[in-house]
Amino acid sequence: MKKFLYVLAGLFLVTAGHTQNPDPVKWTTSVEKISATEYDLVSKATIDSGWHIYSQDVPEGGPTATTFTYDDSAGNFKIIGNTLEEGGKKNEDAFFKLALTSFENEAVFKQRIEVSGKVTSIQTYVEYVAANAVKGLPAKEVELSFDITAATTVKEKVAGGAEKVAEVKDIKTKDADSKQGIWSIFFIAFLSGFAALLTPCVFPMIPMTVSFFTKQSKNKAVGIRNAIVYGISIILIYVLLGTAVTAIFGADALNALATNVWFNIIFFILLVVFAISFLGAFEIVLPNSWANTVDSQADRGGMAGIFFMALALAIVSFSCTGPIVGTLLVEAASKGGLAPIIGMLGFSIAIALPFAFFAAFPGWLNSLPKSGGWLNTVKVVLGFLELALAFKFLSQADLVLQMHLLEREVFLAIWIAIFGTLAFYLFGKIQLPHDSPLTHISVGRLGLGLIVLSFTIYMIPGLWGAPLNLISAFPPPQEYSESPYGVGYTKAGGGSTAETELPEGAHLLAPHDIIAFNDYDKGLAYAKKTGKPVMLDFTGWACVNCRKMEQNVWPKPEILKILKNDVVLISLYVDDKRPLEANEITESKLQPGKKLKYIGQKWSELQTLKYKANSQPFYVLMDHEENNLIEPVGYTPDVATFHKWLEEGTSKLKK
């Protein structure tokens, strides 16, 4: 009612008198370049004397908060963290009878972004209320434009307040995680390239290729030059493939599909087909006409001929490299960004190096092992790995739909069966099509068999509740199981898990008995009742890093103590595909005209609108008025860092 009277009084005074400036706030913008991809969008409000505008954090019953909405519909930049505000004074407002933070004379707001595409300008809408000692104007929305091309380069400032320091640390952590993810993709792709090299379709082609270059090269110098061109051509072909995937789907498009049910089901089927092919049921081959056409071009000689030789290698070896490349592209593309290109770079370097070296120095061929049945063994091992990975995609679809068809025990049982069968195969107890008669097993095959058998035995206790931290990113979480506390586990002397008296809407998060809510309102009400701060956990059923946090960081004694005793945990699953109740279906504020029909859409929009972030996990510590106690953080695998964040945030409410 006060807000209505406030706005009504403002409207009357604006129309009745013109002695005061009806628009006492002027906005200007600038852009600060932090790094090659990161910028700060700076919005500066110059406020007439005697007037003020309000902060972005306004308690319930107060005036309209200053709100920034950044137009990222083109998908070429990402919001990092919240919009920061500098200065401001907190005083008792005479009209609202509330302690409100406001800005006089000048207000500066900064929003950090990460650019992932070609961006020249960014549009932003700011909504604010201007007021003085006797009246307030109605809420006004102004469009701001930021010219990225006119950005000025600045150095990162660490000093300037705890919140600023926290934000810088969070950004650095995200940068480190991003770089770590890129390097892990490159490393996995590089190993995949060597695995592909040791398949029956690729390995025997090394002597054939060397023979071709030996005949074509007039002297050693020309031979080395041709070998280098050949290796670069192989790399170029595969990198172009990764570039095509990125260009067609967009740098981050497939990342958004990671929780899409049909995306995961389609790639489950695709990987199963790849696995069956590697196990010897059939071969995936490209049309012969393609190989013949490319082969004829290779006879032309010169640089063009060498390039077509490399293309011929890619096509002829497709039956072995295709499933590996396909799996690699699926995994890389699901991470978004430049991962597909980096993945193909690592894969192609591993393929190109042996061909180039042996072509340049043909005498080294004598050191190569002879082709034989061991090549088919490599192919079969890759088939088993493809099959195991396929069930990870199916598991994600099941988690998102909450169908409970592929719970933790079932998933682990399937993996135990797959890797157990692989161990029997390596020990020579099982033979598949195209296998040569096996009179004995080599030391290398025996060693690999022992490793696979050990891994299989390691997974077995997981059926009884063991956390299995080595593979925490792959199986469903422990609470998504038939026996969250482990098979046969008893509490309080009973025959089953006996839960303590829980507040309305809460459940025990197994296996550590953390009281958790999935309902925002009920969780907040319980926090007010107990006097504890709220910890919002924006998470996802298909979120790999969320599982790593929950299984590797949360169980640590110093972390678990806080989660169980000092905060009220509210877990909001942004990929929850269960429908909202009819009375909860609303129109999206981010996409006008679109209805929010699913629970996950509701929480995803909340995270995007309020915290200007859309990645998970994302943790927020807030008070009972829903104000942040400390700058939110994302994936924080370092236990000491996460513990310090929890301690600092919870201590502020106690004060």
Side-chain angles (χ1 to χ4, degrees):
M1 187 64 183
K2 286 183 178 180
K3 185 183 293 187
F4 172 77
L5 293 173
Y6 190 61
V7 173
L8 189 62
L11 286 170
F12 172 78
L13 290 171
V14 167
T15 55
H18 300 280
T19 57
Q20 295 286 349
N21 182 5
D23 189 13
V25 182
K26 301 293 186 295
W27 292 88
T28 57
T29 63
S30 61
V31 181
E32 296 176 352
K33 186 174 183 178
I34 306 302
S35 67
T37 58
E38 290 187 353
Y39 297 82
D40 276 347
L41 306 182
V42 183
S43 305
K44 182 179 178 181
T46 303
I47 309 166
D48 288 352
S49 178
W51 290 81
H52 61 265
I53 63 174
Y54 295 99
S55 168
Q56 299 173 91
D57 292 321
V58 173
E60 185 177 353
T64 300
T66 299
T67 306
F68 290 85
T69 304
Y70 299 87
D71 184 6
D72 57 352
S73 57
N76 48 21
F77 73 92
K78 292 191 299 185
I79 301 295
I80 299 178
N82 300 324
T83 301
L84 300 179
E85 54 188 43
E86 297 180 1
K89 295 180 180 179
K90 194 168 187 178
N91 298 306
E92 184 75 17
D93 188 271
F95 184 81
F96 286 96
K97 306 300 182 183
L98 293 172
L100 300 175
T101 300
S102 60
F103 301 88
E104 298 177 354
N105 301 321
E106 181 181 286
V108 178
F109 302 88
K110 287 188 178 182
Q111 174 62 61
R112 182 152 298 183
I113 64 167
E114 181 180 5
V115 174
S116 57
K118 186 177 181 181
V119 185
T120 57
S121 65
I122 293 175
Q123 304 305 118
T124 302
Y125 300 89
V126 56
E127 184 181 17
Y128 63 96
V129 164
N132 60 21
V134 296
K135 68 176 181 179
L137 301 179
K140 183 173 183 179
E141 185 176 79
V142 174
E143 182 177 1
L144 305 179
S145 180
F146 297 89
D147 186 358
I148 303 297
T149 61
T152 57
T153 302
V154 297
K155 292 184 178 180
E156 187 69 84
K157 296 180 181 179
V158 177
E163 290 188 356
K164 182 65 176 177
V165 172
E167 186 212 24
V168 171
K169 287 181 179 179
D170 189 34
I171 290 169
K172 289 182 178 179
T173 301
K174 290 180 180 179
D175 285 345
D177 292 341
S178 176
K179 291 177 181 177
Q180 184 180 11
I182 289 294
W183 277 111
S184 66
I185 282 290
F186 180 87
F187 182 69
I188 293 171
F190 190 78
L191 293 180
S192 300
F194 274 120
L197 188 70
L198 300 177
T199 57
C201 316
V202 183
F203 190 82
M205 294 188 69
I206 296 178
M208 295 169 56
T209 304
V210 172
S211 176
F212 172 83
F213 280 109
T214 303
K215 294 176 183 178
Q216 294 291 324
S217 304
K218 298 178 181 179
N219 53 56
K220 186 175 182 180
V222 174
I224 293 175
R225 185 203 66 186
N226 289 345
I228 292 174
V229 173
Y230 183 64
I232 293 175
S233 297
I234 294 173
I235 294 172
L236 183 62
I237 288 167
Y238 283 103
V239 170
L240 285 174
L241 177 61
T243 304
V245 170
T246 303
I248 292 171
F249 295 103
D252 296 302
L254 283 181
N255 186 39
L257 290 175
T259 60
N260 182 277
V261 173
W262 289 110
F263 174 88
N264 284 283
I265 291 176
I266 288 171
F267 279 103
F268 163 73
I269 296 171
L270 184 64
L271 292 183
V272 168
V273 171
F274 285 164
I276 294 173
S277 171
F278 266 176
L279 293 176
F282 55 84
E283 286 193 356
I284 303 173
V285 295
L286 293 174
N288 290 330
S289 58
W290 291 20
N292 294 335
T293 301
V294 172
D295 196 46
S296 64
Q297 294 295 320
D299 294 334
R300 294 167 53 183
M303 297 298 178
I306 295 175
F307 177 81
F308 280 104
M309 270 290 294
L311 185 57
L313 168 68
I315 292 176
V316 171
S317 62
F318 181 79
S319 61
C320 289
T321 60
I324 299 175
V325 170
T327 305
L328 183 61
L329 282 174
V330 169
E331 181 64 20
S334 67
K335 295 184 181 298
L338 297 176
I341 299 175
I342 299 299
M344 288 299 95
L345 179 63
F347 180 85
S348 58
I349 288 175
I351 290 284
L353 281 176
F355 279 92
F357 276 123
F358 285 117
F361 308 101
W364 291 2
L365 273 176
N366 297 327
S367 63
L368 280 180
K370 302 297 181 183
S371 299
W374 67 273
L375 291 175
N376 189 68
T377 300
V378 172
K379 192 176 177 181
V380 170
V381 170
L382 292 175
F384 277 104
L385 294 178
E386 294 261 357
L387 189 60
L389 183 60
F391 281 94
K392 171 59 181 173
F393 286 93
L394 186 62
S395 171
Q396 289 188 169
D398 181 62
L399 278 165
V400 170
L401 291 174
Q402 288 289 285
M403 297 182 68
H404 289 268
L405 298 177
L406 198 60
E407 293 181 322
R408 185 178 176 88
E409 293 91 344
V410 178
F411 182 95
L412 289 175
I414 292 172
W415 266 39
I416 290 169
I418 291 173
F419 285 98
T421 305
L422 174 57
F424 277 107
Y425 172 80
L426 291 170
F427 290 140
K429 302 302 180 182
I430 298 174
Q431 283 197 320
L432 295 172
H434 308 305
D435 278 340
S436 303
L438 189 66
T439 57
H440 65 280
I441 60 174
S442 65
V443 175
R445 183 166 177 164
L446 175 63
L448 181 59
L450 289 173
I451 292 173
V452 173
L453 180 60
S454 300
F455 178 66
T456 305
I457 295 173
Y458 166 78
M459 289 190 291
I460 292 175
L463 297 174
W464 281 267
L468 305 181
N469 290 335
L470 288 178
I471 57 171
S472 59
F474 289 95
Q478 286 182 286
E479 67 267 21
Y480 194 80
S481 63
E482 295 178 4
S483 304
Y485 295 91
V487 176
Y489 186 87
T490 58
K491 290 180 66 176
S496 61
T497 299
E499 294 188 353
T500 57
E501 189 69 27
L502 293 173
E504 182 186 0
H507 63 279
L508 284 179
L509 194 63
H512 305 295
D513 286 352
I514 301 172
I515 295 178
F517 292 82
N518 294 132
D519 186 289
Y520 185 97
D521 295 326
K522 291 179 180 178
L524 181 59
Y526 182 69
K528 292 178 179 179
K529 179 181 178 181
T530 58
K532 297 178 181 179
V534 172
M535 176 173 159
L536 293 183
D537 166 28
F538 288 96
T539 182
W541 290 111
C543 172
V544 172
N545 284 340
C546 302
R547 301 294 86 77
K548 289 181 179 178
M549 288 292 295
E550 293 160 9
Q551 292 187 224
N552 299 335
V553 177
W554 288 17
K556 300 301 180 183
E558 62 271 34
I559 304 293
L560 191 59
K561 178 178 178 293
I562 296 175
L563 295 181
K564 293 183 70 171
N565 303 313
D566 299 336
V567 300
V568 173
L569 179 66
I570 304 177
S571 296
L572 306 175
Y573 289 84
V574 300
D575 56 2
D576 193 333
K577 300 300 182 184
R578 291 177 298 167
L580 288 165
E581 298 291 337
N583 61 341
E584 292 183 301
I585 296 176
T586 58
E587 183 174 336
S588 170
K589 294 180 180 178
L590 292 173
Q591 297 174 282
K594 178 182 178 181
K595 295 290 187 181
L596 300 180
K597 299 179 180 179
Y598 303 107
I599 294 174
Q601 290 178 321
K602 176 182 178 181
W603 302 137
S604 179
E605 179 146 312
L606 171 66
Q607 183 187 0
T608 303
L609 286 175
K610 188 169 183 178
Y611 302 105
K612 305 298 188 294
N614 59 5
S615 60
Q616 293 78 42
F618 188 78
Y619 304 112
V620 180
L621 281 174
M622 66 182 195
D623 60 21
H624 303 147
E625 282 70 46
E626 303 174 65
N627 299 314
N628 291 353
L629 294 169
I630 191 172
E631 190 73 21
V633 297
Y635 177 56
T636 312
D638 183 74
V639 175
T641 302
F642 192 66
H643 179 251
K644 182 180 180 182
W645 178 80
L646 285 171
E647 284 279 5
E648 289 183 2
T650 54
S651 64
K652 289 184 178 180
L653 185 67
K654 295 174 184 177
K655 293 177 183 178

